[in-house]
Amino acid sequence: MKRFGNLWPNITFANGVQSIIEGTRFKRGHSDVQWLLYPSEAVQLKPELFHRIDEEKAREYAKCLVNKVTSKTWRHQTPKHRRQYCRNRASSKGKWRELYIPVLDDHIVAHMVMNASMEVFTRGMHPHCCGSVPGRGIKHVNRTVKRWMLNDKACRYFVKLDIRHFFDNIDRDILLNVLKNKIKDSDILWAFEQIIDSAPLACPIGYYTSPWFANLYLEKFDWFVEQHLYKKRRDKRIKYVRHYLRYVDDILLIGTSKNDLQKAVFAIREYLRYNYGLEIKDSWEIKAIGKHEITDWEMKHGTYWCDIGGYKFCKDSTVLRDGIFLSTRRLSHKMKKQGYYTEHQSFAINSCIGWASHCNSNNFITNDIEPFIDIPTTRRIVSDVGKIRKL
């Protein structure tokens, strides 16, 4: 396996400026970012400067950070810890999460180090490793699973697995060994060790690097499922898993036989347990992929929806997950009742419309959204806010 070297020269002034722009894009209203913005007096004279970065201050800030990192005088500070209830947009439930928020300097440096070594994390990645990867979000999951369901007639059964407390149980030593097996540049490894050792967890929620570390952590596991789970029949390899997709810690396996999928699940449980110290939740169940009967709402007996990525898939249709459907209806009724649209509500309702437009839920838009709100008005609000925030 090729190891990457000569990455440290990528910590440049241009990288620092780019990292400041990327790292503060959705944090322009935060108090620690305010000094990078234009003064309030300038904004009053020119409102178009609102939420824009002062280019001169950004260049000075980037030069200072790059000098700190390249001279190795930078040390990652202890992040701010906060316990927060995070509501899941794709369901009606939420959960309490332990968040670790780094200071602005450390957040920008994390962007710089990742930009300098991005090829380490993208080369060798499984093509269906999704979540927190540019171009492999919900839309990629929707397209991929829909293609499997519609075009592959051999897909008969599926099972969905969930890794228990994935980010909390990532082992620091294993993660460092994975990084050392991919990188031979000792300076970049020093920067990654500073980030990993700054919090009680190796991949704390709230760090920019955590989802990238998590995907790299399971890269070898992804290829294990793809290449090593098979049986031999007449000197031919027959895979237990016909299609494999992982969305962060949610694993989808699709196959032609219940017995083969069961063997694959047992092998996956043992592999994760002995190589990573991770456990699969016991709630998994092998089910037949759903197919509608004569009517559009009656599912064939003994078949089920395949629920992943905010959508529910079957052989002949794709619909929104129930939690998104209900929360969108409640939001549209609330917006009609209050008589005006806030910035947050406009973003939320257009996001839900985007979800519904990529599945067989167009009637939901016409019956449950359009009669209650003025969609062009919400889109105009989103557009105006986007123009203000654009650099």
Side-chain angles (χ1 to χ4, degrees):
M1 180 178 65
K2 177 185 176 181
R3 298 175 68 207
F4 292 86
N6 199 31
L7 300 175
W8 194 245
N10 295 334
I11 306 292
T12 60
F13 173 75
N15 184 1
V17 174
Q18 180 186 356
S19 300
I20 292 173
I21 295 173
E22 294 174 353
T24 61
R25 189 177 301 277
F26 302 105
K27 302 177 183 293
R28 303 289 165 81
H30 294 192
S31 59
D32 55 350
V33 188
Q34 285 296 321
W35 69 275
L36 277 176
L37 307 179
Y38 284 95
S40 57
E41 298 81 6
V43 174
Q44 292 176 359
L45 295 175
K46 296 183 178 181
E48 63 271 12
L49 298 179
F50 181 65
H51 268 247
R52 289 176 179 254
I53 289 181
D54 188 334
E55 296 181 1
E56 183 177 352
K57 288 184 178 180
R59 287 195 292 268
E60 294 177 358
Y61 186 40
K63 184 178 180 180
C64 178
L65 282 182
V66 170
N67 289 336
K68 281 185 178 181
V69 175
T70 53
S71 62
K72 292 189 178 182
T73 58
W74 167 74
R75 293 295 181 272
H76 201 295
Q77 300 180 36
T78 303
K80 181 180 178 181
H81 175 257
R82 184 174 66 198
R83 192 168 185 264
Q84 181 174 323
Y85 185 80
C86 300
R87 186 186 172 196
N88 189 355
R89 187 65 184 166
S91 66
S92 57
K93 299 180 180 179
K95 61 175 69 174
W96 288 96
R97 295 189 182 275
E98 304 292 333
L99 303 183
Y100 293 87
I101 298 96
V103 299
L104 181 62
D105 288 6
D106 300 335
H107 179 68
I108 300 300
V109 171
H111 274 268
M112 291 169 54
V113 177
M114 286 300 305
N115 289 339
S117 55
M118 186 57 67
E119 190 178 4
V120 175
F121 296 84
T122 54
R123 181 180 291 184
M125 182 181 290
H126 191 276
H128 300 308
C129 168
C130 308
S132 304
V133 180
R136 296 191 192 178
I138 298 296
K139 191 174 180 180
H140 176 82
V141 175
N142 182 19
R143 272 199 315 261
T144 303
V145 179
K146 190 185 298 184
R147 183 177 70 249
W148 292 342
M149 296 290 182
L150 294 178
N151 299 334
D152 193 349
K153 296 181 180 179
C155 295
R156 298 179 59 193
Y157 300 96
F158 75 93
V159 60
K160 185 180 173 184
L161 309 177
D162 190 8
I163 302 176
R164 186 187 300 276
H165 300 298
F166 175 46
F167 283 93
D168 296 342
N169 292 324
I170 291 179
D171 187 84
R172 174 190 176 278
D173 295 332
I174 297 177
L175 177 59
L176 286 176
N177 287 332
V178 171
L179 288 170
K180 290 176 181 177
N181 289 335
K182 297 271 289 187
I183 302 172
K184 59 183 178 182
D185 191 323
S186 59
D187 295 325
I188 286 290
L189 288 173
W190 167 82
F192 281 136
E193 287 182 8
Q194 288 287 322
I195 296 172
I196 293 172
D197 294 337
S198 62
L201 303 176
C203 293
I205 298 176
Y207 275 35
Y208 172 70
T209 55
S210 292
W212 291 103
F213 285 162
N215 286 330
L216 184 67
Y217 192 74
L218 292 182
E219 181 181 298
K220 189 176 291 186
F221 163 74
D222 294 335
W223 292 110
F224 165 78
V225 177
E226 185 76 24
Q227 298 175 353
H228 297 282
L229 296 182
Y230 62 87
K231 60 185 177 182
K232 282 192 175 181
R233 184 177 295 172
R234 296 176 183 174
D235 295 331
K236 291 184 179 180
R237 290 186 177 184
I238 301 176
K239 292 183 178 181
Y240 290 151
V241 179
R242 190 169 183 87
H243 298 293
Y244 166 79
L245 182 141
R246 181 173 61 81
Y247 189 80
V248 190
D249 60 347
D250 291 333
I251 301 170
L252 176 64
L253 309 177
I254 300 178
T256 59
S257 167
K258 273 190 175 183
N259 291 332
D260 289 348
L261 284 181
Q262 190 175 34
K263 293 176 183 177
V265 172
F266 290 155
I268 287 172
R269 290 176 62 181
E270 294 300 315
Y271 187 87
L272 289 176
R273 181 177 300 160
Y274 290 108
N275 291 277
Y276 297 98
L278 300 174
E279 293 288 339
I280 296 291
K281 292 183 179 179
D282 296 330
S283 57
W284 62 273
E285 183 180 357
I286 300 174
K287 300 178 181 179
I289 297 175
K291 186 176 182 180
H292 287 100
E293 292 186 326
I294 299 175
T295 59
D296 291 337
W297 60 87
E298 292 182 0
M299 192 74 72
K300 187 177 180 181
H301 180 70
T303 63
Y304 302 88
W305 293 100
C306 177
D307 187 346
I308 189 170
Y311 293 98
K312 298 194 301 183
F313 302 90
C314 71
K315 280 289 188 180
D316 47 12
S317 64
T318 303
V319 298
L320 284 175
R321 183 180 288 176
D322 297 341
I324 299 176
F325 178 84
L326 292 174
S327 62
T328 306
R329 284 191 62 184
R330 291 168 184 162
L331 179 60
S332 61
H333 283 262
K334 179 180 179 180
M335 293 171 68
K336 180 184 179 182
K337 185 177 180 180
Q338 71 184 16
Y340 61 90
Y341 310 144
T342 65
E343 176 185 323
H344 177 75
Q345 290 174 340
S346 300
F347 273 94
I349 201 69
N350 279 280
S351 174
C352 295
I353 291 172
W355 284 61
S357 64
H358 290 91
C359 63
N360 304 109
S361 297
N362 290 327
N363 289 336
F364 167 62
I365 299 176
T366 57
N367 297 334
D368 294 278
I369 298 181
E370 290 180 349
F372 299 97
I373 65 170
D374 185 13
I375 295 179
T377 301
T378 61
R379 288 178 175 170
R380 195 178 308 115
I381 294 173
V382 172
S383 176
D384 292 342
V385 173
K387 290 177 182 176
I388 292 174
R389 294 181 177 178
K390 187 177 180 180
L391 288 174

